Amino acid sequence: MSSQVSTTTDAAWRRLHEAATAPYRKAGNFAWHFARGKLGRDPVFRGLVERGLIGESHRRVVDIGCGQGLFASLLSAMAAMQSRAGHWPPAWPTTPAAAEYTGIELMPKDVARAENSIGHLQPAPRFVCADMCTAAMPACDLVVILDVLHYVDHAAQEGVLRRVHAALQPGGRLLLRVGDMASRRGFAISQWVDRTVTRIRGHRVSPTWGRPLADWTALLQRLGFSVQSMPMSEGTPFANVLLVADRREAA
């Protein structure tokens, strides 16, 4: 039975991967190959789906450091698959039928790739070219920050997280992937790869500010989140951890 479930989910993931990456062909080979490689090799995206971390109630989504909008395309592909009888594996929890998506991205080239590739989706994703430290953050149910918060210093990190907490509505969730600085080898490898990919994407390499996992958790708890951590670097040499931070109600 378990092998049948695995086969079903593997086939479904391949269909989802194809549907979510196909729109990037319009933006050129780089955008398409980057999307396919990122979605295919990074365990975080399938992990979010299979672990049920994107709930049906998470309809208003803010994606900070959205790049070329791959998460928006994935959300749309998931909604389309769920609308077709027999296409969504019973083992996977359901996700929003339609997401109101806002992506915040500093790099104009990435915003242009996003708009050229998936600007046609419905509901139409909204992309904002702005600094995450100052960009307006709409009221939302889910905030996603994958591997970008280390680009600003510790004080700025806390500022972003405070604004995220304020924007999240009751029952809202933050999905934050960070590198665990306490795992020295994995953290060093991830930093090297991060810098290399940044150069390939045509961006300037900036200094980075990491924290040990315990410090990330303590910060989020102090800001008003309930936190659980999940390793999120399976199949890679990195020290990546996903922090699932749910907004606590005020006492």
Side-chain angles (χ1 to χ4, degrees):
M1 182 66 178
S2 62
S3 62
Q4 289 178 338
V5 171
S6 176
T7 301
T8 301
T9 55
D10 286 347
W13 179 252
R14 287 193 293 271
R15 290 195 299 269
L16 198 54
H17 177 275
E18 186 63 31
T21 58
Y24 290 94
R25 285 182 179 273
K26 294 189 300 182
N29 284 335
F30 177 85
W32 182 60
H33 286 295
F34 182 84
R36 290 186 64 81
K38 182 68 174 173
L39 195 61
R41 297 190 185 97
D42 191 330
V44 71
F45 297 103
R46 185 167 176 173
L48 295 179
V49 177
E50 292 191 325
R51 299 187 193 201
L53 300 178
I54 308 166
E56 287 184 89
S57 63
H58 296 147
R59 293 185 178 89
R60 294 169 296 175
V61 179
V62 174
D63 185 4
I64 297 178
C66 68
Q68 60 184 34
L70 186 56
F71 188 63
S73 191
L74 180 61
L75 287 170
S76 179
M78 289 191 293
M81 185 179 289
Q82 287 171 103
S83 70
R84 302 185 187 113
H87 281 245
W88 191 256
W92 287 359
T94 53
T95 59
E100 182 181 314
Y101 173 95
T102 299
I104 298 172
E105 172 56 47
L106 181 63
M107 304 300 180
K109 289 182 180 178
D110 286 339
V111 172
R113 290 186 190 114
E115 291 175 338
N116 291 339
S117 302
I118 60 171
H120 66 283
L121 296 178
Q122 293 297 325
R126 175 173 172 258
F127 295 101
V128 180
C129 187
D131 188 328
M132 64 180 168
C133 296
T134 56
M137 207 169 297
C140 53
D141 309 303
L142 178 68
V143 175
V144 179
I145 309 177
L146 302 179
D147 311 321
V148 296
L149 205 50
H150 59 278
Y151 287 125
V152 296
D153 64 32
H154 288 169
Q157 290 170 4
E158 180 168 341
V160 171
L161 294 174
R162 284 186 182 278
R163 293 169 58 245
V164 166
H165 185 272
L168 281 169
Q169 301 305 289
R173 169 170 289 178
L174 164 65
L175 297 172
L176 171 65
R177 190 168 68 171
V178 297
D180 181 5
M181 199 173 178
S183 178
R184 294 187 178 181
R185 182 173 182 273
F187 186 77
I189 293 172
S190 66
Q191 292 293 289
W192 179 82
V193 171
D194 183 75
R195 293 187 182 100
T196 301
V197 172
T198 299
R199 290 191 185 96
I200 290 172
R201 291 169 68 190
H203 304 322
R204 181 174 60 87
V205 177
S206 303
T208 56
W209 289 266
R211 299 176 191 255
L213 176 59
D215 290 359
W216 282 113
T217 301
L219 172 60
L220 288 167
Q221 290 174 336
R222 177 164 57 82
L223 294 177
F225 291 97
S226 299
V227 186
Q228 51 180 317
S229 62
M230 302 177 180
M232 199 55 74
S233 56
E234 183 180 359
T236 75
F238 309 140
N240 291 335
V241 178
L242 184 71
L243 297 171
V244 182
D246 292 320
R247 185 185 186 274
R248 291 199 304 262
E249 294 303 313

